[in-house]
Amino acid sequence: MQPIYDFIDNKILPFTFKVSEQPMLYRELLLANKLFDDGMKLEGKIPGMRISVGRAVLVFALIWNILLILPATAIFHAPLADMDCHVAIIASVLFTGLFFSIYFVFKEWLIDRMALLRIRKAWKNHFPPFDYDAHHKEVTALYSQALEESVPAKEMQLYILNKLIAQ
């Protein structure tokens, strides 16, 4: 499974996304981490990344054809050749609907994957002594608590670091 994720991270994501070279700011990291941990929709909310919809559709269409259409037509060629044209039209409408509904799920997954990579990269910059997997939920809780307590933006980093160290 890891080679598939490596291929996605190294080939598909750079092809489908335009990513800024500027590092993510501290407040942007906190907000992005909170949105990601809360399971919110991330499209357009993570700074420094933009999806190319045309390229995402191209990648999905290639995956769709290679993994679904070609094997299905190879297996079911004889019944498909003898199929009534009316059934073929209905099947094509259903497959088109299925294509676009699965594409939107694929697009959201790509955005979530890219957001996670951006958050992890920014995490290494802003929280180097703390492991992301062990502390990201704590930072989300501390950020929410800081927002509730109206901690000024200038003191946010010190507030969160003090609370993390205290725990």
Side-chain angles (χ1 to χ4, degrees), residues 73-84:
T73 54
I75 293 169
F76 300 110
H77 178 71
L80 289 172
D82 296 334
M83 187 184 301
D84 182 43

Side-chain angles (χ1 to χ4, degrees), residues 45-148:
K45 294 186 176 133
I46 305 295
M49 65 178 234
R50 189 186 76 215
I51 190 166
S52 171
V53 176
R55 289 182 175 199
V57 170
L58 178 67
V59 168
F60 182 71
L62 286 172
I63 292 170
W64 174 268
N65 284 317
I66 291 170
L67 296 180
L68 183 72
I69 300 299
L70 291 177
T73 54
I75 293 169
F76 300 110
H77 178 71
L80 289 172
D82 296 334
M83 187 184 301
D84 182 43
C85 69
H86 295 94
V87 176
I89 291 170
I90 292 171
S92 67
V93 169
L94 291 175
F95 267 93
T96 302
L98 187 64
F99 174 85
F100 284 108
S101 61
I102 294 174
Y103 163 72
F104 288 115
V105 173
F106 173 76
K107 181 178 148 189
E108 289 297 320
W109 182 83
L110 274 182
I111 292 169
D112 287 348
R113 184 76 183 163
M114 187 65 177
L116 180 61
L117 293 178
R118 293 271 304 158
I119 290 168
R120 284 181 180 270
K121 184 177 179 184
W123 189 276
K124 289 178 185 174
N125 187 25
H126 295 291
F127 295 107
F130 301 102
D131 180 50
Y132 174 79
D133 294 322
H135 297 284
H136 71 96
K137 294 216 184 268
E138 294 172 46
V139 170
T140 298
L142 291 172
Y143 178 61
S144 297
Q145 183 180 353
L147 290 176
E148 287 176 9

Side-chain angles (χ1 to χ4, degrees), residues 30-42 136-137 140-141 143-144 147:
L30 293 175
L31 180 60
N33 186 53
K34 181 172 178 11
L35 290 172
F36 186 81
D37 284 346
D38 291 345
M40 302 300 289
K41 185 176 180 193
L42 300 175
H136 71 96
K137 294 216 184 268
T140 298
Y143 178 61
S144 297
L147 290 176

Side-chain angles (χ1 to χ4, degrees), residues 2 7-8 11-12 39 42 44-45 68 93 97 110 115 128 163 165:
Q2 189 58 37
F7 178 77
I8 291 168
K11 302 293 182 194
I12 293 177
L42 300 175
K45 294 186 176 133
L68 183 72
V93 169
L110 274 182
K163 294 280 186 173
I165 292 169

